[in-house]
Amino acid sequence: MAATQPLQDMLNRLHDRLAAVEAKLGVAPRSPRAASAVAPAPVPVQVAPRIEAYDEFTQTYLTPFLTAAAKLGPEVEKYGEIVKRAFVAQRMYLVAASVSKKPAGPVMVLLAPIQECMKEINKLRDNRSEFAHHQNMLNEGIQSLGWLCVEPAPKPFIESYIGGGDFWGNKIRVQYKTSNPDQIEFVASFKTLLVQLMAYVKEHHTTGVTWNAQGGDVANFSSVASAPAAPVAEAAPKPAAPAAVGGMNAIFAGIKSIDQSGGKTSGLRTVTKDQQTWRKEYKGSDAPTPAPVKAVAPKPVHAAAPAPAQDPICEIRNGNWFVAHQKDIFTLSDVNLKQQVYIFNCNQATLIIEGKAKTIALDKCTKTKLIFDSAVSSIEIVNCKNVQVQSKGKVPAVAIDKTDGCLVYLSYEGRDVQFVTSKSSEMNVAFPQAEGSEEYIERPIPEQFVHRITDNDTISSDVSDLYSH
């Protein structure tokens, strides 16, 4: 016992020192046993200036939006919390970039929480709700966070969603212009949030997310230091506690298997409605008359149940890429110039193609954004609605057919592209004004022409005066 006393004294002194350090740091004291069970705290990540700027941005513009959402009641406050989670996840992605080297593509583990928020907002949309316009505005605006995957011009990407969100915001303004200023504040604060996000991106991430060339592997960051918390799995239903022996539990145990008739009802058939002679329609007659059978009209074709959602597809068929039914941020890597890429029936997706493809076709897509490096031959946009296409390099030709709403972003070196359009509307092209410029000029692609018969018995076609300004 005496031999162990010096060791005990040393441990006591060490414990006292730890207690003093904890007191200075403001950490609540804990028992030595509990302290030994706690894992060592992770090394804090150094905050880069652009992250400090992001925190200042959210404090200045996200907080007023959340306050405005709370004023409209618990339903809209719930929408605000989803937006808040999306911006927190966006910060996590930017923090990872500030301490990591640039990876080959977007880090889907860090993008997953943002995608979940987008899905959650989209699922809440209900045209019967009194907040239908609010849901649509937030659903449109929150997709601007997809700028994290956009290079080299993320600012126009955000701007396109500001316009879409403002469309629904104007409906709220008209409805509550004179009756509820809190509604107007909600719309204005959300638009300001997106506009200031665009300003932040322009200042700190001009050509895309800024990575740290001296940093570590982003996979280590995403899996250890700052991976988003795993979703809590639904608890499995607890098995019912076994009934106590005796008492009422013993009496009713196994009641479902008891034949209370003592076997007298076994083998008897069920008496249907037309065989129940006590009914009013059978009185005064010796034999029951079968009830008339009502003819059932065939269901109209449009009443059929909607087809189930199809699973996303990405595979090589006959040496070419086939991508279909994508709904989130999706990256296709290792495309070579001998391969064609066919994209079909994607809805509200952001598609990124890395590599130079032979041709690219976008077919039957809605509210989808396509970002690709370059193409050898052309890109075709067919049967689409409200799509955006961005070429980071060169593409010789763009064909637009049977499409309503199409915006094409070009690089400065790709300005010599040739457009071929037919049966399409609301077409626009955006391109840099000068080499290296961050500002894009947007011009409409004419869809209205004036045709005349000439003296040579031919037809002359000129662009309508609508496009002369």
Side-chain angles (χ1 to χ4, degrees), residues 51-61:
I51 303 302
E52 293 178 349
Y54 184 84
D55 291 340
E56 183 179 353
F57 149 72
T58 53
Q59 181 66 30
T60 306
Y61 301 105

Side-chain angles (χ1 to χ4, degrees), residues 376-394:
V376 175
S377 177
S378 65
I379 176 168
E380 299 178 10
I381 305 166
V382 187
N383 299 317
C384 293
K385 291 184 178 180
N386 300 325
V387 295
Q388 295 184 20
V389 174
Q390 179 179 351
S391 171
K392 300 190 324 191
K394 293 192 67 173

Side-chain angles (χ1 to χ4, degrees), residues 14-266:
L14 179 61
H15 180 268
D16 293 339
R17 290 184 181 180
L18 289 175
V21 172
E22 289 178 344
K24 183 175 293 186
L25 295 176
V27 179
R30 55 187 184 275
S31 65
R33 180 175 298 178
S36 62
V38 176
V43 178
V45 178
Q46 184 178 2
V47 179
R50 56 182 175 271
I51 303 302
E52 293 178 349
Y54 184 84
D55 291 340
E56 183 179 353
F57 149 72
T58 53
Q59 181 66 30
T60 306
Y61 301 105
L62 178 61
T63 303
F65 164 72
L66 298 176
T67 303
K71 289 181 180 179
L72 300 184
E75 183 72 15
V76 181
E77 186 176 15
K78 179 175 67 176
Y79 305 158
E81 287 301 316
I82 300 174
V83 174
K84 177 183 177 181
R85 283 193 278 114
F87 274 79
V88 170
Q90 180 176 232
R91 182 188 189 276
M92 186 64 65
Y93 193 98
L94 296 176
V95 170
S98 70
V99 297
S100 308
K101 294 179 181 177
K102 185 174 182 179
V107 186
M108 301 312 297
V109 173
L110 296 174
L111 288 173
I114 300 176
Q115 294 177 346
E116 289 301 319
C117 293
M118 293 179 179
K119 290 180 182 178
E120 197 170 344
I121 285 286
N122 190 44
K123 288 180 181 178
L124 289 172
R125 295 167 67 192
D126 182 2
N127 290 333
R128 298 167 298 179
S129 170
E130 63 175 311
F131 300 114
H133 295 332
H134 304 65
Q135 298 161 0
N136 288 323
M137 182 185 73
L138 297 180
N139 179 67
E140 187 75 20
I142 199 174
Q143 295 181 60
S144 63
L145 272 61
W147 75 268
L148 295 168
C149 303
V150 177
E151 293 179 350
K155 177 178 172 288
F157 181 89
I158 301 174
E159 191 172 13
S160 66
Y161 282 111
I162 293 177
D166 212 28
F167 172 82
W168 297 103
N170 286 335
K171 293 181 179 292
I172 301 174
R173 290 188 182 99
V174 171
Q175 183 177 357
Y176 297 101
K177 184 176 180 180
T178 58
S179 60
N180 192 340
D182 290 341
Q183 295 279 359
I184 309 302
E185 180 186 357
F186 173 77
V187 174
S189 61
F190 185 67
K191 182 177 180 179
T192 302
L193 176 65
L194 298 185
V195 170
Q196 293 302 322
L197 172 64
M198 184 171 62
Y200 165 80
V201 170
K202 181 180 179 181
E203 181 176 356
H204 298 279
H205 306 277
T206 306
T207 58
V209 175
T210 306
W211 296 84
N212 187 347
Q214 307 301 323
D217 188 352
V218 69
N220 296 333
F221 179 93
S222 61
S223 61
V224 179
S226 299
V232 180
E234 292 186 7
K238 296 182 180 179
V245 179
M248 296 303 293
N249 290 324
I251 295 175
F252 291 104
I255 193 170
K256 291 184 179 179
S257 62
I258 297 176
D259 181 2
Q260 297 180 359
S261 67
K264 297 176 184 178
T265 61
S266 60

Side-chain angles (χ1 to χ4, degrees), residues 348-362:
Q348 296 189 1
T350 299
L351 310 174
I352 303 169
I353 299 178
E354 297 177 347
K356 189 173 185 178
K358 183 179 180 181
T359 62
I360 302 173
L362 196 66

Side-chain angles (χ1 to χ4, degrees), residues 399-443:
I400 307 174
D401 185 28
K402 298 177 183 176
T403 293
D404 297 321
C406 177
L407 176 56
V408 179
Y409 289 97
L410 300 173
S411 64
Y412 182 78
E413 61 178 348
R415 287 164 54 110
D416 58 348
V417 65
Q418 178 181 2
F419 285 90
V420 179
T421 65
S422 61
K423 298 182 180 179
S424 299
S425 63
E426 300 178 35
M427 300 173 291
N428 294 274
V429 58
F431 49 88
Q433 186 174 11
E435 187 172 5
S437 174
E438 301 170 8
E439 299 297 331
Y440 275 64
I441 301 172
E442 185 172 333
R443 295 286 184 264

Side-chain angles (χ1 to χ4, degrees), residues 1-16 32:
M1 185 71 178
T4 61
Q5 187 61 39
L7 177 61
Q8 183 64 46
D9 292 341
M10 183 181 69
L11 291 175
N12 290 338
R13 288 195 299 272
L14 179 61
H15 180 268
D16 293 339

